Each structure stands twice: as C-alpha cells, then as structure tokens.
Amino acid sequence: MSGRRDGKRWSPPLRRRLRSGPDWAAQTPTWRQARPALIADALDRASARPSGNWFVVGASRNVRADDRPYGRTVGGVEVVLWRSEDGEPRAGSGVCPHLGAPLRDSRVVCGTLVCHWHGLTLDGSPSVGWQPFPVHDDGVLVWVRLDAVGGEEPTERPVVPARPARDRGVDAVFTAVGRCEPQDVVANRLDPWHGSWFHPYSFVDLSVAREPRGDEDDAFVVDVSFRVAGRLVVPVRAEFTAPEPRTVVMRITDGEGATSVVETHATPLTGPDHERPRTAVVEAVIAASDRPGFALARAAAPVLRPLMRRTAGRLWRDDLAYAERRWTLRSTGLFPG
Ligand code: FES
Ligand SMILES: [Fe+2]
C-alpha cells in the first residue's frame, strides 16, 4: 500500500480527535528538517521531468459548446478554447487572424467560434492563418500544448496524475493568480514543513514521515491533521509528488478521504523572462471515498473542506504570498535557499 512507503506500519489515529489549543508556538520547529538544499533538489528533479509542452488552462466544465469561449494567456500566448457540437475540445490562438480581435470575447454558435468583429468563423481546423493548438480534456482539467512556450520534445498527451475512479470522486477546481513563476508555486508545495506553522488554521501536528529519495522514490510522506472546526481535527497520511515540472500532487493515502487527490498546477501566464511574471495556480480537488453518493461527499468533506475553502480562505493567500516572496527574493538575488 502506498501509505507504507517509509516501511513503518501506519497506526491509524482516532478518526476524529479533539485538540486543545492554542499551542502554536509550542509545536516542534520544522526549520531544521526543511533544508533548503533538499527542497531545491526536489524542485530540480521535478523541473527536469518532461511535460511534453502541455499546460493546464482550466477546468473542463469551463470549456463549453455554446455561449462564450474560454480564454487564457499562457506563456504570453493568447489561447481560446471551446467545444464542437459533439463536445470535443478545440483550442488555438486567441488572436483573430483577420484584424486581431480577442477571440475570448467572441461567441460560440453551434460548436463554431464566430468572431464578434466581422464574423469570421473557426471550426477548430487551420483557417486563413489561424492555427489550432493540440488540446486534451482529462475530464477534470483541460490542457493545451504550446511547443513554442514549452521548448521541450512534444508528447501526444500531458502527464495526468492518477485519480480516483470517476464514479467514486467529486471534483472542484479553483484558480488564483500570483506574481511569481511556476517554480515558486511548486517550491512552496515541495516544502510540506511549513504546513502547521504557516497555516495553523488548517493544519495541526504536521510531520514529514519520509523525505524523497531521489528519482526512484520521489515522494514526501506527511502525517497531518486537518482542522475541521475549532478543536475538531481529522488525521491523515498524505503523499506529495511532482510528476512533471508544473504539477504537485497531494494524495491522501490513509485516513478519512483516502485516495483523494489535490493537484496543484502552476501555469505561466507571462512569457519567459518577463519583468513581472504572473502564474495561474489551478488546483483540482478530487475527493474520493468508498461510500457512494451523498455519503461520499460527507465522508470526504472533513478533510477536503479546508482545501475547498482555499478560494475564499487564507490558505490560498498565504501560499501565494510564500511563492511571491520567493520570486521577489530570487529576482533580487536575496533568496537564502
Ligand atoms: S477581427 Fe475577427 S473577423 Fe475581423
Ligand atoms: Fe501551504
């Protein structure tokens, strides 16, 4: 079982435990374990993995067959996405080849993109100078392949993390934008040690049970309790991996909501070497449980609620602040790591 990778038997804690608090300052400092070189090495290994030039652009459900197309700028390239009448995703340049209208503001009529300036129609195939981009809909997220931005060897498909079976999961996708580069978002996620210090409102008792051991077994195994409400916490074991340069996956391997995953995808919005880079953090939470239907949502909710609250909550803001701070220090040569 994947939760036992440290070789030790994992003894399941009480399903729910009441914690007395506040004891934030009394917890064990983690800074000695959170060695900058270890995080940097994990980041280097992640960065060296192939992405095939695929970039997450957003939630599948945001790309529609009617009404409005979906637009994003990725690596400085305007991209527009929509669906054909039979639901197939389409993607391509977001700049109209006629006189440059922003196609993200155009309309989709019966699966065809119709430019709102002079009525040029695009069905997704190359047309009068407009070029489609390869697109992949994995059922939760939509990816586009931008070879000029990625600069790697292109691949047929993106690296999509393993997920709970469709009929056992419920998903939600959140997006936020930070002033940093994708590597800053990934580095934040590859530092699990900050969890209960920096986010005490969401996590308590975080400890890293096993550090990554290089390419062959490159996972952080983390024991942590999610704060549900007040003193009520739910302990789980989770594993963090980076299957490609812009993705970090947290998989719950033991405890409530086991097999649930939280995927963090960092997509550059600005082009390379931009003076003030911006990065979209697209986070997919795929909650799973052996229990069907309503019971599934209820079973997974205690663990996933803090994560689902990210959009409105401090967790997002704090992690983005961490990533932005890292970029600011890097860009001025002051980063101590
Ligand atoms: S700019 Fe799109 S049709 Fe003219
Ligand atoms: Fe965090």
Side-chain angles (χ1 to χ4, degrees):
M1 186 184 285
S2 53
R4 312 267 150 71
R5 294 168 74 155
D6 61 343
K8 288 187 206 141
R9 199 180 134 70
W10 192 77
S11 49
L14 291 176
R15 184 163 165 254
R16 289 182 183 184
R17 210 161 45 175
L18 287 176
R19 280 275 316 214
S20 58
D23 49 8
W24 177 81
Q27 59 184 319
T28 307
T30 52
W31 69 273
R32 284 184 197 281
Q33 283 90 52
R35 302 184 301 290
L38 187 151
I39 297 167
D41 287 350
L43 179 64
D44 282 350
R45 291 192 299 274
S47 305
R49 288 179 189 128
S51 75
N53 303 327
W54 289 94
F55 297 84
V56 165
V57 283
S60 298
R61 61 172 68 92
N62 286 346
V63 179
R64 300 160 53 116
D66 55 10
D67 198 27
R68 295 290 174 193
Y70 182 76
R72 238 315 158 214
T73 300
V74 177
V77 175
E78 280 185 52
V79 179
V80 67
L81 300 103
W82 74 99
R83 287 186 196 276
S84 66
E85 271 197 303
D86 57 7
E88 286 302 309
R90 305 277 184 243
S93 167
V95 181
C96 180
H98 174 223
L99 283 170
L103 293 173
R104 69 178 67 187
D105 297 330
S106 295
R107 285 188 54 195
V108 181
V109 180
C110 302
T112 298
L113 188 64
V114 182
C115 179
H116 58 305
W117 280 13
H118 311 91
L120 183 142
T121 57
L122 297 166
D123 65 5
S125 50
S127 173
V128 291
W130 183 87
Q131 280 299 326
F133 298 135
V135 56
H136 179 73
D137 181 357
D138 68 28
V140 176
L141 299 169
V142 173
W143 308 64
V144 289
R145 199 182 81 198
L146 299 171
D147 295 337
V149 177
E152 293 177 22
E153 192 65 34
T155 55
E156 194 65 25
R157 291 273 175 265
V159 181
V160 180
R163 295 173 179 157
R166 296 290 288 274
D167 59 343
R168 292 190 179 278
V170 287
D171 67 89
V173 178
F174 306 113
T175 302
V177 174
R179 292 206 165 275
C180 60
E181 292 178 334
Q183 66 149 291
D184 301 303
V185 173
V186 172
N188 165 266
R189 296 299 196 270
L190 294 178
D191 163 18
W193 291 276
H194 75 264
S196 49
W197 279 100
F198 196 37
H199 311 298
Y201 43 85
S202 287
F203 307 116
V204 280
D205 293 341
L206 186 145
S207 65
V208 175
R210 219 210 65 214
E211 295 172 357
R213 295 172 185 158
D215 262 333
E216 292 310 300
D217 195 4
D218 210 359
F220 290 89
V221 177
V222 174
D223 292 330
V224 62
S225 291
F226 288 79
R227 199 183 284 282
V228 178
R231 294 187 304 140
L232 190 63
V233 299
V234 179
V236 299
R237 172 160 282 194
E239 195 178 271
F240 290 76
T241 52
E244 59 105 271
R246 292 176 290 272
T247 300
V248 177
V249 181
M250 184 198 81
R251 185 180 315 281
I252 297 174
T253 54
D254 277 291
E256 196 70 76
T259 74
S260 297
V261 298
V262 177
E263 296 175 13
T264 303
H265 300 275
T267 300
L269 303 182
T270 43
D273 303 322
H274 194 278
E275 245 178 52
R276 302 204 64 197
R278 293 191 314 131
T279 293
V281 185
V282 181
E283 196 155 87
V285 180
I286 301 134
S289 168
D290 288 338
R291 306 168 217 198
F294 180 62
L296 177 153
R298 270 184 48 211
V303 166
L304 297 161
R305 199 177 296 125
L307 297 166
M308 299 231 178
R309 273 202 304 254
R310 271 179 178 280
T311 36
R314 290 171 61 191
L315 205 50
W316 262 111
R317 285 203 301 278
D318 287 347
D319 276 334
L320 270 183
Y322 179 127
E324 290 177 337
R325 171 76 175 168
R326 186 179 184 277
W327 180 79
T328 301
L329 293 178
R330 283 198 307 116
S331 65
T332 50
L334 295 172
F335 183 60

mmCIF file of all heavy atoms in Angstrom, residues 1 11 20 34 45 59 61 94 105 118 157 191 199 213 216 225 231 242 250 266 307 336:
data_model
loop_
_atom_site.group_PDB
_atom_site.id
_atom_site.type_symbol
_atom_site.label_atom_id
_atom_site.label_comp_id
_atom_site.label_asym_id
_atom_site.label_seq_id
_atom_site.Cartn_x
_atom_site.Cartn_y
_atom_site.Cartn_z
ATOM 1 N N MET A 1 0.837 -1.199 0.000
ATOM 2 C CA MET A 1 0.000 0.000 0.000
ATOM 3 C C MET A 1 0.873 1.251 0.000
ATOM 4 O O MET A 1 1.884 1.310 0.667
ATOM 5 C CB MET A 1 -0.897 -0.042 1.241
ATOM 6 C CG MET A 1 -1.907 1.100 1.239
ATOM 7 S SD MET A 1 -2.882 1.120 2.742
ATOM 8 C CE MET A 1 -3.966 -0.258 2.439
ATOM 9 N N SER A 11 -0.146 3.382 12.115
ATOM 10 C CA SER A 11 -1.251 3.060 13.013
ATOM 11 C C SER A 11 -2.297 4.161 12.899
ATOM 12 O O SER A 11 -1.991 5.325 13.149
ATOM 13 C CB SER A 11 -0.748 2.956 14.446
ATOM 14 O OG SER A 11 0.037 4.087 14.738
ATOM 15 N N SER A 20 -6.717 20.429 22.100
ATOM 16 C CA SER A 20 -6.829 21.650 22.880
ATOM 17 C C SER A 20 -5.849 22.651 22.273
ATOM 18 O O SER A 20 -4.838 22.303 21.728
ATOM 19 C CB SER A 20 -6.486 21.388 24.338
ATOM 20 O OG SER A 20 -5.190 20.870 24.414
ATOM 21 N N ALA A 34 13.419 21.200 7.183
ATOM 22 C CA ALA A 34 13.078 21.813 5.892
ATOM 23 C C ALA A 34 14.328 22.411 5.266
ATOM 24 O O ALA A 34 14.441 23.620 5.093
ATOM 25 C CB ALA A 34 12.005 22.877 6.096
ATOM 26 N N ARG A 45 14.613 18.088 -9.642
ATOM 27 C CA ARG A 45 14.181 16.820 -10.250
ATOM 28 C C ARG A 45 12.832 16.994 -10.938
ATOM 29 O O ARG A 45 12.616 16.494 -12.037
ATOM 30 C CB ARG A 45 14.129 15.709 -9.193
ATOM 31 C CG ARG A 45 15.497 15.276 -8.680
ATOM 32 C CD ARG A 45 15.413 13.985 -7.871
ATOM 33 N NE ARG A 45 14.566 14.112 -6.691
ATOM 34 C CZ ARG A 45 14.983 14.564 -5.501
ATOM 35 N NH1 ARG A 45 16.245 14.942 -5.333
ATOM 36 N NH2 ARG A 45 14.147 14.638 -4.477
ATOM 37 N N ALA A 59 -10.580 24.427 -15.807
ATOM 38 C CA ALA A 59 -11.499 23.314 -15.561
ATOM 39 C C ALA A 59 -12.212 22.909 -16.847
ATOM 40 O O ALA A 59 -12.599 23.762 -17.649
ATOM 41 C CB ALA A 59 -12.528 23.726 -14.512
ATOM 42 N N ARG A 61 -15.124 21.923 -17.177
ATOM 43 C CA ARG A 61 -16.503 22.414 -17.248
ATOM 44 C C ARG A 61 -16.584 23.883 -17.657
ATOM 45 O O ARG A 61 -17.660 24.356 -17.991
ATOM 46 C CB ARG A 61 -17.240 22.167 -15.918
ATOM 47 C CG ARG A 61 -16.646 22.847 -14.709
ATOM 48 C CD ARG A 61 -17.568 22.678 -13.496
ATOM 49 N NE ARG A 61 -17.625 21.289 -13.035
ATOM 50 C CZ ARG A 61 -16.841 20.756 -12.096
ATOM 51 N NH1 ARG A 61 -15.926 21.513 -11.514
ATOM 52 N NH2 ARG A 61 -16.955 19.507 -11.747
ATOM 53 N N GLY A 94 -5.738 32.904 -29.616
ATOM 54 C CA GLY A 94 -6.838 33.763 -29.204
ATOM 55 C C GLY A 94 -6.882 35.080 -29.952
ATOM 56 O O GLY A 94 -7.648 35.976 -29.592
ATOM 57 N N ASP A 105 -13.510 36.970 -26.398
ATOM 58 C CA ASP A 105 -14.748 37.739 -26.263
ATOM 59 C C ASP A 105 -15.733 37.461 -27.394
ATOM 60 O O ASP A 105 -16.761 38.134 -27.510
ATOM 61 C CB ASP A 105 -14.442 39.245 -26.221
ATOM 62 C CG ASP A 105 -13.595 39.622 -25.013
ATOM 63 O OD1 ASP A 105 -13.719 38.936 -23.977
ATOM 64 O OD2 ASP A 105 -12.797 40.577 -25.111
ATOM 65 N N HIS A 118 -16.025 40.866 -37.201
ATOM 66 C CA HIS A 118 -16.503 40.833 -38.593
ATOM 67 C C HIS A 118 -17.061 39.478 -38.986
ATOM 68 O O HIS A 118 -17.243 39.203 -40.166
ATOM 69 C CB HIS A 118 -15.388 41.188 -39.585
ATOM 70 C CG HIS A 118 -14.615 42.430 -39.252
ATOM 71 N ND1 HIS A 118 -13.478 42.424 -38.486
ATOM 72 C CD2 HIS A 118 -14.830 43.729 -39.580
ATOM 73 C CE1 HIS A 118 -13.006 43.654 -38.350
ATOM 74 N NE2 HIS A 118 -13.810 44.475 -39.001
ATOM 75 N N ARG A 157 0.300 13.253 -25.275
ATOM 76 C CA ARG A 157 -0.631 13.511 -24.168
ATOM 77 C C ARG A 157 0.105 14.164 -23.000
ATOM 78 O O ARG A 157 1.290 13.912 -22.808
ATOM 79 C CB ARG A 157 -1.234 12.189 -23.661
ATOM 80 C CG ARG A 157 -2.180 11.517 -24.619
ATOM 81 C CD ARG A 157 -3.598 12.041 -24.432
ATOM 82 N NE ARG A 157 -4.504 11.493 -25.424
ATOM 83 C CZ ARG A 157 -4.815 12.106 -26.573
ATOM 84 N NH1 ARG A 157 -4.283 13.265 -26.870
ATOM 85 N NH2 ARG A 157 -5.657 11.547 -27.428
ATOM 86 N N ASP A 191 7.624 22.135 0.020
ATOM 87 C CA ASP A 191 8.012 22.410 1.413
ATOM 88 C C ASP A 191 6.808 22.090 2.293
ATOM 89 O O ASP A 191 6.055 22.980 2.675
ATOM 90 C CB ASP A 191 8.429 23.888 1.559
ATOM 91 C CG ASP A 191 8.443 24.334 3.023
ATOM 92 O OD1 ASP A 191 8.465 23.459 3.927
ATOM 93 O OD2 ASP A 191 8.402 25.559 3.263
ATOM 94 N N HIS A 199 0.065 27.635 8.310
ATOM 95 C CA HIS A 199 -1.393 27.514 8.151
ATOM 96 C C HIS A 199 -2.011 26.839 9.375
ATOM 97 O O HIS A 199 -2.687 25.812 9.243
ATOM 98 C CB HIS A 199 -1.744 26.655 6.929
ATOM 99 C CG HIS A 199 -1.044 27.007 5.661
ATOM 100 N ND1 HIS A 199 -1.178 28.219 5.035
ATOM 101 C CD2 HIS A 199 -0.211 26.278 4.869
ATOM 102 C CE1 HIS A 199 -0.462 28.214 3.910
ATOM 103 N NE2 HIS A 199 0.140 27.056 3.803
ATOM 104 N N ARG A 213 13.571 10.245 -1.926
ATOM 105 C CA ARG A 213 14.872 9.556 -2.044
ATOM 106 C C ARG A 213 15.381 9.602 -3.467
ATOM 107 O O ARG A 213 15.863 8.610 -3.998
ATOM 108 C CB ARG A 213 14.700 8.095 -1.618
ATOM 109 C CG ARG A 213 14.336 7.955 -0.154
ATOM 110 C CD ARG A 213 13.981 6.529 0.185
ATOM 111 N NE ARG A 213 13.526 6.415 1.559
ATOM 112 C CZ ARG A 213 12.776 5.418 2.007
ATOM 113 N NH1 ARG A 213 12.398 4.461 1.191
ATOM 114 N NH2 ARG A 213 12.403 5.384 3.257
ATOM 115 N N GLU A 216 13.941 7.671 -8.033
ATOM 116 C CA GLU A 216 13.288 6.370 -7.970
ATOM 117 C C GLU A 216 12.079 6.363 -7.046
ATOM 118 O O GLU A 216 11.126 5.632 -7.267
ATOM 119 C CB GLU A 216 14.302 5.306 -7.500
ATOM 120 C CG GLU A 216 15.389 5.021 -8.493
ATOM 121 C CD GLU A 216 14.841 4.734 -9.895
ATOM 122 O OE1 GLU A 216 14.070 3.772 -10.021
ATOM 123 O OE2 GLU A 216 15.176 5.492 -10.825
ATOM 124 N N SER A 225 -2.936 16.609 10.509
ATOM 125 C CA SER A 225 -4.352 16.665 10.861
ATOM 126 C C SER A 225 -4.954 17.918 10.256
ATOM 127 O O SER A 225 -4.373 19.003 10.359
ATOM 128 C CB SER A 225 -4.520 16.689 12.377
ATOM 129 O OG SER A 225 -4.142 15.437 12.912
ATOM 130 N N ARG A 231 -11.686 22.892 17.587
ATOM 131 C CA ARG A 231 -10.697 21.929 18.070
ATOM 132 C C ARG A 231 -10.821 20.567 17.406
ATOM 133 O O ARG A 231 -10.079 19.641 17.735
ATOM 134 C CB ARG A 231 -10.844 21.792 19.588
ATOM 135 C CG ARG A 231 -10.472 23.083 20.333
ATOM 136 C CD ARG A 231 -10.458 22.865 21.829
ATOM 137 N NE ARG A 231 -11.725 22.350 22.336
ATOM 138 C CZ ARG A 231 -11.825 21.416 23.279
ATOM 139 N NH1 ARG A 231 -10.745 20.886 23.807
ATOM 140 N NH2 ARG A 231 -13.003 21.015 23.696
ATOM 141 N N ALA A 242 5.758 15.256 -7.534
ATOM 142 C CA ALA A 242 5.746 16.215 -8.648
ATOM 143 C C ALA A 242 5.979 15.424 -9.939
ATOM 144 O O ALA A 242 7.118 15.176 -10.312
ATOM 145 C CB ALA A 242 6.823 17.271 -8.461
ATOM 146 N N MET A 250 -0.965 16.028 -4.151
ATOM 147 C CA MET A 250 -1.088 15.510 -2.793
ATOM 148 C C MET A 250 -2.153 14.423 -2.816
ATOM 149 O O MET A 250 -3.285 14.680 -3.209
ATOM 150 C CB MET A 250 -1.518 16.604 -1.810
ATOM 151 C CG MET A 250 -1.539 16.087 -0.378
ATOM 152 S SD MET A 250 -2.508 17.132 0.762
ATOM 153 C CE MET A 250 -4.163 16.570 0.410
ATOM 154 N N ALA A 266 0.743 24.786 -11.869
ATOM 155 C CA ALA A 266 1.220 26.161 -11.997
ATOM 156 C C ALA A 266 1.424 26.466 -13.479
ATOM 157 O O ALA A 266 2.258 25.843 -14.131
ATOM 158 C CB ALA A 266 2.526 26.333 -11.233
ATOM 159 N N LEU A 307 -9.531 22.460 2.202
ATOM 160 C CA LEU A 307 -8.898 22.695 0.906
ATOM 161 C C LEU A 307 -9.868 23.387 -0.031
ATOM 162 O O LEU A 307 -9.504 24.247 -0.809
ATOM 163 C CB LEU A 307 -8.439 21.362 0.326
ATOM 164 C CG LEU A 307 -7.385 20.692 1.199
ATOM 165 C CD1 LEU A 307 -7.198 19.245 0.797
ATOM 166 C CD2 LEU A 307 -6.075 21.441 1.111
ATOM 167 N N PRO A 336 17.719 33.123 0.237
ATOM 168 C CA PRO A 336 18.770 32.465 1.013
ATOM 169 C C PRO A 336 18.948 30.985 0.673
ATOM 170 O O PRO A 336 19.930 30.385 1.071
ATOM 171 C CB PRO A 336 18.283 32.629 2.461
ATOM 172 C CG PRO A 336 16.795 32.797 2.370
ATOM 173 C CD PRO A 336 16.517 33.425 1.040
#
